[in-house]
Amino acid sequence: MADKKATVQVTGQEAFELPIMSGTAGNDVIDVRTLGSKGVFTYDPGFLATASCQSKITFIDGGKGILLHRGYPIEQLAENSNYLELCFLLLHGELPSAEELAVFENTITNHTLVHEKIATFFQGFVIEAHPMAMLCGVVGAMSSFYHDDLDITDPEQRKRSAYRLVAKLPTIAAMAYKYSIGQPFVYPRNDLSYSENFLNMMFSVPAEDYVVNPVLADAMDKIFMLHADHEQNASTSTVRLAGSSGANPYACIAAGIASLWGPAHGGANEACLTMLEKIGSVDRIPEFVAKAKDKADPFRLMGFGHRVYKNFDPRAKVMRQTCHDVLKALHIEDPLLDVAMELERIALEDPYFVEKKLYPNVDFYSGIILKAMGIPTSMFTVIFAMSRTIGWISHWDEMLGEEGQKIGRPRQLYTGAPQRDYVTADKR
Ligand code: SDX
């Protein structure tokens, strides 16, 4: 089709055209980069209708509940792949050959150790410190170990820091957990898979052998996969913006961790479980649904709704099945699952939620699985952050690999005081 255009008519001005760009799938975009020269800006707080970049990594169709990673549907990846293979796919763009995967797994395994000095960083935290506060601080501090050997314009050096982050985040996350419960840190083991290694660092103690339950290792790997990447969400956009100034990748990932922590974003899994525990029983669900619908009440159903998905989050469907599998395998009858299932049923029938297209999202079931695995609520968003590190660093790498990459610098609609002269204190 001939180049598409958008015509803009600003009152009192000549109409002008803006080019429209089309991608492989999804909405076309109007290229507004020259709009400033016409004396106007676009206005889109919350970025409801703004494409901040071009990307080849992940595609979401919110209306159809579709999530593709480099073109592959999340359902097929969850069924047939594993987290490290997905990491390779997200970062490099193609599924690895058997040899490429073996080399990648070996490289990641051999980067899981952290500098011994990092263990001392934790001593600065009070014992009650939230593990997300520790993760954010320690990952940011990793910059102090690697800031001088990183030329971010060199793809090979960017790849090395990406591998380091994917490898070391589980070690640091497990250290945050061990510190919070007063147990000794557990070193990574090269004979374990990525998910087995994380569970071993979380739950083993020097006093006895620990054997990783394969059901839990598989569930952990699924949870890692389902949280790996999700297009230009708040934390990924944070990492891109931080990275656009040339900041050290460890500092950028720390910024992503900070953004993810909010209850409207990655903190929702922790908030969702807390909400289910507060509801407590099926008969109290109507009371909380009413609160969620009450405009005067700030309460929202955690784990429901999504900026993009106006249909079921495809990750929630996989997570729901994993939830049932884990509870069955562990012979756990968790009343919170009954509350969650009944809440899902009621919400999906309630006109308020139907009209507003509020469906369970990725955070709705993950908390129940993590709780069943013996992981404390305060670690839920830490696990989300660990999983999402590959998404963050893949977007960071993609952005820095672009020709003509620019620093991100949005403009504003100024509504403050017009220019005025200074008034000395005696005249105020
Ligand atoms: C994640 O962006 C991503 O991709 C994020 C993520 C990822 O993988 O990176 O998918 C991970 O963050 C999932 C979302 C987890 N958050 C929660 O579960 C918190 C609860 N959900 C909401 O706070 C909310 O749904 C958001 C923040 C997720 C989305 O909010 P939007 O798109 O800004 O929508 P909105 O707040 O404008 O809500 C639209 C309407 C409003 O009512 P009206 O003002 O139109 O009358 O729906 C209502 C809201 O009040 N609404 C809810 C609700 N979510 C939205 N009402 C009750 N309960 C809810 N959960």
Side-chain angles (χ1 to χ4, degrees):
M1 179 183 287
D3 288 348
K4 296 184 203 171
K5 302 275 185 198
T7 302
V8 179
Q9 171 68 64
V10 177
T11 308
Q13 281 188 28
E14 285 283 302
F16 56 92
E17 288 187 334
L18 292 172
I20 286 180
M21 301 162 70
S22 300
T24 317
N27 287 6
D28 288 347
V29 297
I30 300 173
D31 183 345
V32 296
R33 285 175 288 182
T34 60
L35 205 51
S37 65
K38 303 290 184 185
V40 287
F41 291 142
T42 59
Y43 180 67
D44 187 13
F47 309 119
L48 289 150
T50 293
S52 60
C53 64
Q54 295 190 38
S55 181
K56 303 179 188 314
I57 298 172
T58 290
F59 174 73
I60 304 171
D61 181 323
K64 295 181 185 143
I66 291 171
L67 167 56
L68 309 177
H69 289 315
R70 300 286 188 178
Y72 297 99
I74 187 64
E75 297 88 341
Q76 293 182 24
L77 290 164
E79 180 69 28
N80 302 297
S81 185
N82 62 53
Y83 180 69
L84 278 192
E85 184 176 76
L86 177 57
C87 286
F88 186 99
L89 174 66
L90 288 168
L91 194 56
H92 297 295
E94 296 296 335
L95 287 169
S97 65
E99 190 198 352
E100 285 171 326
L101 182 57
V103 169
F104 180 68
E105 284 176 342
N106 186 52
T107 307
I108 295 297
T109 299
N110 286 286
H111 277 80
T112 49
L113 263 178
V114 294
H115 193 291
E116 273 302 294
K117 277 286 182 199
I118 284 187
T120 61
F121 290 174
F122 286 89
Q123 304 311 323
F125 292 108
V126 293
I127 196 75
E128 303 78 18
H130 194 291
M132 278 296 280
M134 294 191 249
L135 191 75
C136 197
V138 174
V139 170
M142 284 175 77
S143 306
S144 62
F145 291 92
Y146 308 112
H147 70 282
D148 56 1
D149 76 346
L150 182 68
D151 171 3
I152 58 171
T153 62
D154 175 355
E156 273 311 302
Q157 292 191 46
R158 290 204 304 268
K159 187 175 77 171
R160 191 170 70 206
S161 50
Y163 285 16
R164 273 193 177 122
L165 280 155
V166 170
K168 298 179 192 300
L169 257 285
T171 309
I172 294 170
M175 291 170 86
Y177 172 60
K178 286 300 199 185
Y179 184 78
S180 70
I181 59 172
Q183 285 187 0
F185 296 142
V186 175
Y187 285 102
R189 275 179 39 188
N190 292 354
D191 61 322
L192 298 177
S193 74
Y194 192 85
S195 301
E196 289 167 342
N197 190 33
F198 175 64
L199 292 175
N200 185 60
M201 292 189 289
M202 281 282 288
F203 296 120
S204 73
V205 289
E208 58 189 26
D209 288 340
Y210 174 78
V211 178
V212 179
N213 179 330
V215 172
L216 299 190
D218 180 60
M220 194 77 259
D221 203 75
K222 275 265 190 332
I223 286 178
F224 287 156
M225 291 184 77
L226 295 172
H227 289 82
D229 188 54
H230 212 237
E231 199 214 61
Q232 306 307 324
N233 57 84
S235 52
T236 300
S237 299
T238 300
V239 171
R240 277 180 171 261
L241 195 54
S244 74
S245 72
N248 179 297
Y250 304 94
C252 295
I253 296 302
I257 293 168
S259 172
L260 185 77
W261 197 358
H265 190 13
N269 51 18
E270 177 176 354
C272 181
L273 201 87
T274 305
M275 174 191 74
L276 290 172
E277 286 167 344
K278 205 169 170 189
I279 294 173
S281 62
V282 170
D283 57 0
R284 289 198 63 199
I285 291 175
E287 172 195 337
F288 283 84
V289 169
K291 277 170 65 71
K293 291 157 62 172
D294 177 358
K295 279 282 151 260
D297 190 329
F299 173 78
R300 288 193 165 182
L301 284 185
M302 292 291 113
F304 276 84
H306 198 277
R307 171 60 60 76
V308 176
Y309 288 124
K310 302 308 173 190
N311 196 321
F312 240 97
D313 180 336
R315 302 168 295 176
K317 285 183 185 171
V318 179
M319 199 74 84
R320 190 172 191 249
Q321 185 52 52
T322 306
C323 188
H324 282 289
D325 296 347
V326 167
L327 293 183
K328 190 170 166 216
L330 297 179
H331 309 296
I332 294 176
E333 294 290 324
D334 187 342
L336 289 185
L337 181 64
D338 301 335
V339 174
M341 297 291 289
E342 181 59 8
L343 179 57
E344 178 193 81
R345 185 190 66 76
I346 292 174
L348 293 181
E349 290 173 0
D350 185 295
Y352 173 92
F353 294 91
V354 172
E355 280 154 29
K356 294 180 186 301
K357 300 184 186 302
L358 302 175
Y359 290 86
N361 58 46
V362 68
D363 294 301
F364 186 63
Y365 285 102
S366 55
I368 299 168
I369 303 172
L370 294 170
K371 177 175 176 282
M373 297 170 72
I375 293 173
T377 316
S378 62
M379 282 292 292
F380 289 5
T381 310
V382 169
I383 287 168
F384 193 155
M386 275 172 49
S387 319
R388 185 54 57 87
T389 293
I390 184 57
W392 289 333
I393 208 68
S394 297
H395 282 274
W396 171 81
D397 180 57
E398 179 180 63
M399 174 186 70
L400 292 173
E402 280 168 0
E403 283 297 312
Q405 178 264 327
K406 285 182 173 307
I407 188 169
R409 205 289 187 203
R411 300 306 303 274
Q412 62 176 16
L413 174 67
Y414 177 67
T415 55
Q419 184 168 333
R420 52 185 170 168
D421 295 328
Y422 183 79
V423 179
T424 52
D426 59 328
K427 295 192 177 66
R428 287 174 206 161

